[in-house]
Amino acid sequence: MSDEEKLKKLSREMWKALVAKDLKFLEKIHSEDFILTHMTGLKQSKQEYLRCIGEGILNYFSADEEKIFIEKVGKKIKLTTQFKVLAAVFGGGKNFWNLQLVFDVEKRGENFILISGIASTY
């Protein structure tokens, strides 16, 4: 499997894990110092982000893939995912979002790990 196929698979598996609240898998694919920047500007550490998923503060009900882009510049990798997501977050109602996540990714051995992410709409 090529690196591009592995990155696309990682993206799809991440969304399945978010919907399923599979914290064990999510723990494995995010670096210890992972930071997520939400579209509001709120920054969450990996621990805070996973806690919010586990406690139902961030609820993902479905995620349908629209586009996945991969950009490699030297050793740096940007993974951009665009999914139509049904979610209820931070006490808001259940809504569909055109959610884009742009991740900085590192290759470690044969695997990839998410270093940071920025959420926005598209």
Side-chain angles (χ1 to χ4, degrees), residues 106-119:
E106 269 184 20
K107 186 171 187 182
R108 296 188 181 167
E110 289 302 308
N111 298 312
F112 292 94
I113 191 157
L114 305 174
I115 303 301
S116 64
I118 299 173

Side-chain angles (χ1 to χ4, degrees), residues 81-97:
T81 68
Q82 294 179 340
F83 278 67
K84 186 152 199 102
V85 176
L86 179 59
V89 298
F90 297 113
K94 202 174 189 180
N95 290 298
F96 280 100
W97 298 84

Side-chain angles (χ1 to χ4, degrees), residues 57-90:
I57 296 166
L58 297 172
N59 293 293
Y60 302 98
F61 303 103
S62 67
D64 296 315
E65 178 183 331
E66 295 201 333
K67 292 183 184 173
I68 299 174
F69 305 96
I70 297 154
E71 180 184 358
K72 289 173 129 180
V73 180
K75 291 188 174 189
K76 294 188 179 214
I77 303 167
K78 280 223 183 292
L79 171 65
T80 301
T81 68
Q82 294 179 340
F83 278 67
K84 186 152 199 102
V85 176
L86 179 59
V89 298
F90 297 113

Side-chain angles (χ1 to χ4, degrees), residues 14 17-18 22-30 50 53:
M14 179 201 69
L18 285 167
D22 182 350
L23 298 179
K24 194 172 193 176
F25 179 78
L26 293 168
E27 171 77 29
K28 184 174 87 171
I29 66 168
H30 292 83
L50 296 182
I53 293 165

Side-chain angles (χ1 to χ4, degrees), residues 2-25:
S2 72
D3 282 355
E4 185 170 323
E5 290 168 326
K6 286 180 183 178
L7 285 162
K8 287 181 177 183
K9 181 179 179 201
L10 174 67
S11 173
R12 293 172 184 131
E13 289 177 347
M14 179 201 69
W15 276 108
K16 286 180 188 172
L18 285 167
V19 171
K21 295 190 183 295
D22 182 350
L23 298 179
K24 194 172 193 176
F25 179 78

